[in-house]
Amino acid sequence: MLGDTDNNGKHTINDAVCIINHILNQPCPVFIEAAADLDGNGKITINDAVLLISQYILGTQSKSRMATRAASASDGANFLSIEDITMLPGEVKTIEVMMENDRNDIKGIQCDITLPQGVSFLYDEDSEDYVSATSRIPSKLALSSQMQDENNTLRVAGVCTGSASIYGNSGSVFTFMLKADENIKEGMYDIKLTNVELSYGEAIDVADHSSVLEIQNQASNVSSLPFEGKEYTETYDLNGRHIGISQAKNGIYIINGKKVYVK
């Protein structure tokens, strides 16, 4: 029976959970892959979970199989990205995953985040996951992640289980923490976003995105400033946001036009 992914003869939220687990490579004890391919495109993605919930749980969409449309970031205005990052060896940093979208009905999200060797994901004890949802994510969107077996990759997937969609049209949708090894070499590295899909029941496959991670030597072209809570004339973080020095934690900032390491 289409949509009955756990083969128990009825449609429940567990059928959507089984699809999410399959995407994350955490298979359920029973999973009927043919029943999970609701859009009939031959693969299991977050779009199938969106269709299952809308058709069989909420009853808001036709139960006929819907042909999906693929679009790249260049074709529309729905995409994920990560801003370029600067870190020191041994530094821990929280990274934002940004979503730009011209649609207001996006209910499902999935992606792979691949880090370079020498940088690792940190488990977030507060969210009990590797990722933490931001205020753009509705309370009924279950966002989960799982480390994959190869290439230092974290897979993220989530679907709205209620009528709400992801809020807003711009800004961070979730965050994750990473740490640079103490012995990582100075240089430029790539952080890759792949396997991206934003779904509103008619899937959008988004072009891959790559951002730059720059590992700097603290002693190289960066002056050091003891943090005493003193205000300085012009202080910016590395994302270009104007802040007061009293807001700065340990790290590199642009103060009066120069890179400064605040300690």
Side-chain angles (χ1 to χ4, degrees):
M1 184 170 66
L2 190 63
D4 181 18
T5 65
D6 59 9
N7 202 34
N8 68 351
K10 56 186 177 180
H11 295 110
T12 68
I13 197 65
N14 189 61
D15 295 310
V17 171
C18 286
I19 290 178
I20 297 293
N21 286 343
H22 181 81
I23 293 170
L24 296 175
N25 287 323
Q26 290 180 309
C28 293
V30 177
F31 182 72
I32 309 302
E33 192 165 338
D37 185 15
L38 276 84
D39 56 20
N41 67 354
K43 56 184 180 179
I44 310 302
T45 70
I46 201 66
N47 190 59
D48 295 303
V50 170
L51 287 173
L52 191 150
I53 290 171
S54 62
Q55 292 179 358
Y56 295 104
I57 306 300
L58 300 178
T60 58
Q61 210 163 14
S62 168
K63 292 181 175 59
S64 61
R65 281 189 167 175
M66 179 185 293
T68 60
R69 178 180 65 85
S72 69
S74 60
D75 296 327
N78 305 281
F79 58 92
L80 299 180
S81 65
I82 297 174
E83 295 180 349
D84 292 344
I85 304 160
T86 302
M87 295 182 72
L88 298 172
E91 186 177 4
V92 173
K93 185 165 281 191
T94 299
I95 307 302
E96 295 181 315
V97 175
M98 316 297 288
M99 187 174 90
E100 301 294 322
N101 51 289
D102 61 356
R103 298 189 63 100
N104 295 316
D105 56 352
I106 294 177
K107 296 179 178 295
I109 182 173
Q110 75 173 56
C111 67
D112 288 353
I113 305 168
T114 302
L115 299 181
Q117 296 302 313
V119 184
S120 56
F121 294 97
L122 295 183
Y123 188 79
D124 189 330
E125 298 291 346
D126 292 333
S127 64
E128 297 182 337
D129 207 316
Y130 287 97
V131 299
S132 297
T134 69
S135 58
R136 292 193 63 191
I137 299 297
S139 60
K140 289 190 176 182
L141 194 158
L143 195 66
S144 302
S145 67
Q146 176 69 25
M147 291 298 302
Q148 303 301 292
D149 291 337
E150 56 185 27
N151 299 329
N152 203 16
T153 295
L154 180 72
R155 180 163 294 171
V156 182
V159 63
C160 289
T161 57
S163 58
S165 302
I166 294 176
Y167 302 130
N169 299 98
S170 180
S172 173
V173 284
F174 66 88
T175 64
F176 63 93
M177 293 188 297
L178 55 78
K179 180 178 181 180
D181 292 352
E182 295 283 354
N183 59 353
I184 190 171
K185 293 182 179 179
E186 185 176 6
M188 310 293 280
Y189 301 84
D190 285 337
I191 296 179
K192 297 178 181 179
L193 269 173
T194 57
N195 188 32
V196 178
E197 185 169 291
L198 306 179
S199 172
Y200 52 94
E202 186 179 343
I204 305 173
D205 290 319
V206 184
D208 294 348
H209 173 84
S210 180
S211 60
V212 175
L213 168 62
E214 181 182 0
I215 300 295
Q216 294 184 336
N217 185 327
Q218 174 182 331
S220 174
N221 199 31
V222 180
S223 58
S224 182
L225 177 71
F227 173 56
E228 298 172 351
K230 181 180 179 181
E231 290 292 337
Y232 292 79
T233 306
E234 295 291 342
T235 304
Y236 297 87
D237 65 16
L238 293 178
N239 291 322
R241 291 184 287 251
H242 186 273
I243 63 173
I245 192 65
S246 60
Q247 298 174 270
K249 301 178 181 179
N250 289 6
I252 299 174
Y253 296 85
I254 308 300
I255 299 179
N256 296 338
K258 296 181 180 180
K259 283 186 179 180
V260 176
Y261 179 69
V262 176
K263 61 181 180 179

